[in-house]
Amino acid sequence: MPSAIPSATYRGDDALAILLAEAGTGRSPADIRALLAGVLAAPEGEDPAAWLVLVGETLPPALAEQLQALRSLLAAEGPADDPGPAQRLADLRAALKRRDLDGFIVPRGDEHQGEYVPPRAQRLGWLTGFTGSAGNAVVAADRAAIFVDGRYTLQVRAEVPADLYEYRHLIEDPLTDWIAAALPEGGRFGFDPWLHTIGWVEKTRAALERAGILLVACEGNPLDSVWQGQPPAPLAPVVPQDEDFAGESSADKRARLAEELEQKGIAAAVLTQPDSIAWLLNIRGADVPCTPLPLSFAILSADAAVELFLDPRKLAPQTRAHLGNQVRVRPVEEFGPALDAVARGSARVLADPGCTSAWIVDRLLLAGARVERDGDPCALPKACKNAAELAGTRAAHLRDGAAIVRFLSWFSQEAPRGALTELAVVERLLACRRENERFRGVSFDTIAGAGPNGAIVHYRVTPETDRRLEPGSLFLLDSGAQYLDGTTDVTRTLAVGELDPALAAEMRDRFTRVLKGHIALSTARFPRGTTGSQLDVLARLPLWQAGLDYDHGTGHGVGSFLSVHEGPQRVSKVGNTVALQPGMILSNEPGYYKTGAYGIRIENLIVVRPVEPEGETAGAERSALMAGAERPMLEFEPLTLVPIDRSVIERALLTDAEAAWVDAYHARVCESLSPLLDEATRRWLEAATAPL
């Protein structure tokens, strides 16, 4: 449970100065206020007192009390006056005019191209009001548009004023076509080179040049110059990740990757993805919501030394010792000069074009480096979980499953009464997960969509949108958790009592088709070298046969107490050249969405494993199945242990083999979770997992 923030009254800076001096912290009240500005720009997390370690490991109670009191005082200060969306847009246009720019792009990402960004980098949300995880706004002198993908076509209309922005599809409506139509020939279109990859810049520049438009890299973001009250960079403690959970020391990881660089004749690799840096150094942070990341950059050299660029104030005392003398910590301001140094002598420097900003690549090239465009060297080894990581994630899913079943037992009693709301459900599920001591927060904002809200793929409930769960409807619940030993992500679509007779047949048909696709992917056996995009059709085929589909990927990679959305593996219509390998964790989440009515999604996490005999019974069965196999084969093991709502399954649509899969999965869920449950919940689970 979160630690309670003390209600003590702040006694003033003079009193704090005395306490700081008595404790020998070497800090002044001004230092603490500056530190707290960054602390308040980071998520609060499960323990609001965790930041105190940045002042000292063991603080006298009186000092800790006053530090928390000052934090509460500063947190209570109201935000700067909001000028409103129309004025924000007008202010940005004025800033562009001062720079002789005819247009500008505002992306959702930050300098790390990440999904989760700190408040300081939420430029798209500040400008437009859009809260989704992917999108771009494009602003011209007399037109503006917001581009989002199929997950957000409904959400964007609810959040972004139609009188200010045109709604465009990120895939179907080429952004460069819109720019070419909105800007005059010879126009100057600006971008922040920190916020776009070199690949995006080169592709966009070529397209705009054909239209007679110049793409201009801005020194300093024009939007930042008009964003009054823009938060500072976040400051959250960076702490070691226990090697028992990591399964391999940071030194061994660095040595392994450095040897590969040396064999290729590469002097160094520039790392811009915070989850890669966290994995490589066995550290975790809390700079952004839902993902334990320390925002940072790093340079890994071929001698296994690492330069880590972050605000040194983030480092918890034990973290410096953990990093050791082969990792040099430097402030972010020194990143540019460090790139110059590593480029000397026309050195070969690796940078991933898919996630490295144009600013970094340009700096390397100007310094004389031969930039090797290749994948992040951490990405693949991070994706292929080792034995300790797999043991941890299985344990985390076991505990997570028990928490969800306790929630589902409660839900089955309360939901049909018609009094529950989406927010009440989110709070109850969170409370169930918080009973676990290894719980460190949710892995993404819970999607709790009642009725028509379930059709909004990435819906996030707010007090303004909070909807009552109506008996007879469907409720879509997509949630996940971060535990010290693993990351979870599970979606279940639940009937709220007896389904509405007018829609019951259709709902059961769509639900069962989604389930059939889920089963098809879960039971797939495939040769080594197969990619996720080659398997995607398995999950969609039952829907396609009825003229239906869904406008999102079928599966994403998942980290180990890291990002719930991890690459390079995925299951999607979009082509992917990364073959699935043992140890990779993915989601399996086909869905169906009827706008204005309901949404359906069934999601388990699965892990790739070799098809090999395991035990006498399983061995005989698998040997029979694989008799005569000429190639090494792979398959999936379900990690998620949560029952699927049997009341929405149309048994007649399932084959006997599919029904047997459901029964076997439910038997495993019941057997695995029962020892962790009280008697009443165990009885509910036995009924929920009874054979079809």
Side-chain angles (χ1 to χ4, degrees):
M1 293 292 290
S3 301
I5 296 178
S7 56
T9 301
Y10 183 59
R11 300 200 303 269
D13 285 6
D14 290 343
L16 179 61
I18 293 171
L19 292 170
L20 289 167
E22 290 175 346
T25 64
R27 306 288 186 98
S28 69
D31 295 334
I32 298 299
R33 286 179 177 271
L35 181 72
L36 276 169
V39 168
L40 292 171
E44 184 171 84
E46 286 298 295
D47 182 5
W51 73 278
L52 292 174
V53 74
L54 302 181
V55 181
E57 263 189 303
T58 55
L59 300 177
L63 174 56
E65 179 188 76
Q66 281 300 289
L67 289 170
Q68 285 287 61
L70 177 56
R71 182 191 187 281
S72 298
L73 181 69
L74 296 177
E77 293 180 353
D81 291 339
D82 183 0
Q87 187 60 51
R88 289 179 226 142
L89 185 57
D91 289 345
L92 177 57
R93 283 181 168 137
L96 299 181
K97 188 173 182 179
R98 289 192 293 270
R99 295 186 184 217
D100 192 27
L101 293 173
D102 300 291
F104 186 71
I105 183 168
V106 180
R108 170 59 171 71
D110 62 0
E111 296 88 339
H112 308 279
Q113 319 302 320
E115 175 183 2
Y116 290 104
V117 300
R120 177 177 181 78
Q122 291 175 6
R123 297 176 177 91
L124 181 62
W126 177 82
L127 180 67
T128 68
F130 177 64
T131 62
S133 64
N136 296 300
V138 185
V139 177
D142 55 1
R143 293 175 63 185
I146 183 163
F147 290 75
V148 300
D149 63 30
R151 296 171 296 173
Y152 298 114
T153 52
L154 297 180
Q155 180 177 332
V156 72
R157 285 167 168 77
E159 294 180 336
V160 179
D163 59 334
L164 298 178
Y165 295 91
E166 303 167 24
Y167 306 128
R168 300 293 185 194
H169 194 286
L170 200 59
I171 309 301
E172 298 170 2
D173 302 320
L175 183 143
T176 50
D177 287 357
W178 190 95
I179 297 170
L183 268 63
E185 186 173 356
R188 290 163 48 85
F189 186 78
F191 73 101
D192 183 340
W194 275 105
L195 305 183
H196 301 273
T197 66
I198 188 63
W200 180 92
V201 171
E202 290 172 346
K203 180 181 177 182
T204 304
R205 177 171 285 135
L208 293 183
E209 282 179 353
R210 290 193 292 270
I213 294 170
L214 180 65
L215 186 64
V216 179
C218 295
E219 185 174 347
N221 193 306
L223 186 146
D224 293 353
S225 70
V226 299
W227 184 354
Q228 299 299 316
Q230 184 180 23
L235 282 174
V238 177
V239 299
Q241 168 74 336
D242 194 315
E243 196 172 313
D244 288 344
F245 298 141
E248 184 180 13
S249 72
S250 172
D252 287 347
K253 292 178 182 179
R254 298 195 305 267
R256 178 156 52 98
L257 269 57
E259 183 179 3
E260 294 175 5
L261 294 179
E262 188 175 32
Q263 289 175 351
K264 296 176 181 178
I266 294 173
V270 178
L271 306 179
T272 65
Q273 297 286 279
D275 62 331
S276 288
I277 297 167
W279 173 86
L280 179 66
L281 300 180
N282 285 348
I283 56 176
R284 298 294 187 267
D287 284 335
V288 297
C290 304
T291 308
L293 297 180
L295 295 180
S296 54
F297 297 99
I299 299 174
L300 169 66
S301 298
D303 63 359
V306 169
E307 291 184 285
L308 174 63
F309 300 89
L310 48 64
D311 190 326
R313 293 178 297 172
K314 293 184 193 179
L315 294 182
Q318 72 270 32
T319 309
R320 289 186 180 274
H322 162 80
L323 291 173
N325 57 17
Q326 255 201 320
V327 178
R328 181 185 176 194
V329 178
R330 303 177 63 180
V332 178
E333 294 75 20
E334 296 181 8
F335 185 42
L339 293 173
D340 298 339
V342 81
R344 285 191 191 123
S346 300
R348 295 176 65 197
V349 181
L350 186 151
D352 187 335
C355 59
T356 304
S357 75
W359 188 95
I360 294 171
V361 175
D362 287 344
R363 182 90 182 217
L364 287 168
L365 292 172
L366 286 171
R370 289 177 290 162
V371 177
E372 300 291 329
R373 299 191 181 194
D374 204 350
D376 180 336
C378 299
L380 195 56
K382 172 167 58 69
C384 298
K385 308 297 183 287
N386 59 42
E389 289 172 318
L390 290 176
T393 200
R394 290 187 182 102
H397 278 86
L398 188 68
R399 299 191 309 274
D400 197 56
I404 296 174
V405 165
R406 287 194 293 272
F407 161 81
L408 290 175
S409 175
W410 168 85
F411 181 91
S412 69
Q413 298 296 317
E414 296 296 326
R417 297 173 182 170
L420 287 183
T421 68
E422 294 165 338
L423 279 175
V425 167
V426 171
E427 291 167 2
R428 178 71 180 207
L429 179 55
L430 179 60
C432 290
R433 282 185 163 126
R434 276 181 169 156
E435 294 175 9
N436 189 286
E437 64 179 9
R438 289 185 176 173
F439 177 71
R440 290 298 181 270
V442 296
S443 55
F444 55 95
D445 291 321
T446 298
I447 299 168
N453 286 345
I456 304 172
V457 178
H458 274 203
Y459 169 71
R460 179 183 176 186
V461 59
T462 66
E464 293 73 29
T465 64
D466 191 20
R467 185 182 180 91
R468 187 174 64 87
L469 278 62
E470 299 176 3
S473 67
L474 287 178
F475 177 63
L476 190 152
L477 183 63
D478 186 350
S479 71
Q482 294 285 6
Y483 298 97
L484 287 175
D485 49 356
T487 300
T488 70
D489 181 3
V490 53
T491 307
R492 289 296 182 262
T493 305
L494 308 170
V496 182
E498 293 293 325
L499 290 177
D500 179 353
L503 283 174
E506 178 186 287
M507 288 176 172
R508 287 195 176 95
D509 176 271
R510 305 303 191 255
F511 182 96
T512 309
R513 290 182 185 278
V514 170
L515 176 59
K516 287 168 71 72
H518 179 93
I519 295 170
L521 182 59
S522 191
T523 56
R525 286 189 169 91
F526 47 94
R528 285 181 180 265
T530 301
T531 68
S533 55
Q534 291 173 303
L535 299 179
D536 182 75
V537 65
L538 297 175
R540 296 180 190 270
L541 188 57
L543 288 164
W544 286 358
Q545 289 170 335
L548 310 170
D549 201 2
Y550 50 94
D551 196 7
H552 60 74
T554 299
H556 53 82
V558 178
S560 178
F561 188 39
L562 275 174
S563 177
V564 76
H565 294 142
E566 177 181 87
Q569 74 275 23
R570 66 173 181 265
V571 181
S572 171
K573 288 181 181 179
V574 179
N576 183 10
T577 60
V578 177
L580 299 179
Q581 298 185 31
M584 285 182 170
I585 298 173
L586 301 105
S587 65
N588 172 6
E589 51 181 311
Y592 170 77
Y593 312 92
K594 185 172 184 177
T595 301
Y598 59 87
I600 296 167
R601 188 160 64 249
I602 302 171
E603 176 187 20
N604 281 353
L605 295 192
I606 52 180
V607 60
V608 181
R609 68 183 181 189
V611 178
E612 295 172 350
E614 294 180 1
E616 296 180 4
T617 305
E621 178 186 349
R622 292 187 184 196
S623 296
L625 284 168
M626 300 308 296
E630 297 179 352
R631 299 185 181 185
M633 302 294 286
L634 301 173
E635 64 182 358
F636 295 117
E637 170 197 344
L639 295 171
T640 303
L641 296 168
V642 176
I644 298 164
D645 191 341
R646 295 162 61 258
S647 72
V648 199
I649 297 174
E650 185 58 64
R651 173 61 181 86
L653 280 177
L654 294 180
T655 66
D656 289 344
E658 290 167 338
W661 182 93
V662 173
D663 288 345
Y665 175 73
H666 275 162
R668 181 184 168 207
V669 169
C670 189
E671 180 183 1
S672 300
L673 299 184
S674 288
L676 305 180
L677 304 173
D678 61 82
E679 182 60 32
T681 307
R682 187 158 52 246
R683 287 197 300 270
W684 178 89
L685 179 61
E686 289 171 354
T689 57
L692 291 175

